Amino acid sequence: MTFLPRTLSALLAAGALLAAGAAQAEYPERPINMVVPFSAGGPTDNVARSLAEAMRPTLGQTVVVENRAGAGGTIGTSYVGRAEADGYTVLLMHLGFTTAPSLYKDPGYDPSKSFEPVGLVVDVPMTVIAREDFPPNNIKEMVEYVKANKDKVSLANAGIGAASHLCGTMLIDALGVDLLTIPYKGTGPAMNDLLGKQVDMLCDQTTNTTQHINAKKVKAYAVTSLKRVPTLSDLPTMDESGFKGFQVGIWHGMWVPKGTPQPVVDKLVKALQAGLADPKFKERMAGLGAEVLNDEANPKALDAKVQQQVPQWAELFKKAGVPKQ
């Protein structure tokens, strides 16, 4: 057996470390995949595509949005959690990141152990909407109608764990009625059936509903933020409509696989912060009713959000009697 001299071994080890450091310093050397665990054309996809373009100048590389939909976002999320920790696969996910452990027996990832946080991106309020010819014309009439016709009214969502499912669960709890819920495989199909008058109601993000509300293709009743949304200023909040404390905002964050080198994470944080400050991105998000979270675009803020919300959602689903899938 041949042994390398101790000095030579040390030199080789040092060389390997220098090579790794150089690779990190040159990152990124090729396009980066931003995985969205939902279908193309949905609200999270809309945020991702705008953000990918806004981050490109700082990174000096193209950011390619890759849709890996299914199982309430757990398929795409767990895919990133298993990816090589080199910074070339990042996750753009919403608060469903923190609800999956309470909704699935095995979501395929651990929110605290499978990822490194990069930062928060935007917070998106929800809107309570219905098909264009739904009889109620305002939220007061809607509440009365739903309670009187609870066995006939259908409430669509984009699948278990999707933002529309979370908001719909809260809406049903607030109304105190059991509605027929119809899960779809993505926001796009759910919205298409609402526009086609195949289902009655939907509670979804402003990033997906604003254009349809302004075009009067759907009826809108309320927003789920505590303050009115500037781009939908005629819509009352659920809180001011008698549902005190009703608030659900769909925050979005960015993560990379656990073990991603700190210099790489730092470069992604820098690119994220620059992207959020981009005037075109801010204008696009404002037009969709989304709040850009400039001050929280950092790992510490995102980690704190995750640690707070995992037990919070677990308690809500337990109260609502939502079984694990």
Side-chain angles (χ1 to χ4, degrees):
M1 181 179 292
T2 303
F3 293 92
L4 289 173
R6 184 176 300 177
T7 302
L8 180 56
S9 297
L11 288 172
L12 289 174
L17 287 173
L18 287 172
Q24 292 170 22
E26 294 168 2
Y27 168 86
E29 298 180 290
R30 62 179 190 271
I32 296 168
N33 273 17
M34 180 184 289
V35 175
V36 174
F38 301 105
S39 58
T44 302
D45 183 68
N46 289 338
V47 173
R49 292 183 186 278
S50 295
L51 181 61
E53 181 61 26
M55 290 176 65
R56 183 181 57 78
T58 302
L59 292 169
Q61 290 286 347
T62 301
V63 180
V64 180
V65 175
E66 179 183 356
N67 299 94
R68 285 182 173 264
T74 60
I75 290 177
T77 301
S78 59
Y79 168 80
V80 177
R82 298 190 304 269
E84 188 173 350
D86 56 7
Y88 289 99
T89 305
V90 304
L91 172 70
L92 197 289
M93 175 57 160
H94 59 44
L95 63 74
F97 184 87
T98 61
T99 63
S102 300
L103 290 171
Y104 296 92
K105 296 175 183 177
D106 181 16
Y109 69 93
D110 184 309
S112 299
K113 298 178 180 179
S114 303
F115 297 89
E116 304 281 359
V118 176
L120 284 156
V121 181
V122 295
D123 192 22
V124 185
M126 309 286 280
T127 48
V128 180
I129 62 174
R131 54 184 166 84
E132 184 272 333
D133 60 347
F134 200 50
N137 292 309
N138 54 56
I139 188 166
K140 181 176 182 296
E141 291 180 6
M142 183 273 287
V143 172
E144 294 173 350
Y145 183 89
V146 168
K147 289 186 175 182
N149 298 273
K150 60 183 180 181
D151 295 330
K152 301 177 182 177
V153 176
S154 57
L155 178 65
N157 66 57
I160 301 298
S164 51
H165 170 241
L166 305 178
C167 185
T169 299
M170 292 183 66
L171 180 64
I172 287 173
D173 183 61
L175 292 173
V177 296
D178 287 325
L179 301 179
L180 172 63
T181 57
I182 304 178
Y184 287 80
K185 293 182 179 180
T187 302
M191 179 61 76
N192 286 339
D193 270 12
L194 187 76
L195 293 172
K197 305 174 184 177
Q198 303 302 308
V199 290
D200 297 318
M201 298 182 67
L202 176 68
C203 184
D204 205 6
Q205 302 173 60
T206 55
T207 46
N208 194 49
T209 63
T210 298
Q211 59 179 327
H212 301 301
I213 293 171
N214 289 335
K216 300 189 184 303
K217 293 182 178 180
V218 297
K219 281 188 178 179
Y221 298 112
V223 294
T224 65
S225 51
L226 292 179
K227 295 182 179 180
R228 293 200 179 197
V229 176
T231 51
L232 298 169
S233 58
D234 291 340
L235 284 185
T237 67
M238 288 290 290
D239 181 80
E240 71 181 88
S241 301
F243 298 93
K244 294 300 179 183
F246 190 105
Q247 178 188 19
V248 54
I250 308 302
W251 54 267
H252 293 67
M254 182 181 292
W255 293 264
V256 289
K258 194 73 171 181
T260 299
Q262 191 59 48
V264 172
V265 175
D266 291 341
K267 287 189 177 183
L268 286 168
V269 172
K270 181 180 178 181
L272 171 61
Q273 293 173 346
L276 299 193
D278 180 78
K280 290 183 179 180
F281 178 79
K282 293 170 71 173
E283 181 181 2
R284 171 65 175 159
M285 292 302 104
L288 295 173
E291 177 187 2
V292 178
L293 302 175
N294 301 78
D295 296 337
E296 298 173 271
N298 60 75
K300 185 177 180 180
L302 179 53
D303 183 61
K305 179 74 76 174
V306 171
Q307 299 306 320
Q308 172 203 31
Q309 293 215 341
V310 168
Q312 181 180 341
W313 283 106
E315 181 62 27
L316 174 66
F317 292 135
K318 181 180 179 180
K319 178 184 175 183
V322 178
K324 285 191 176 184
Q325 302 296 305

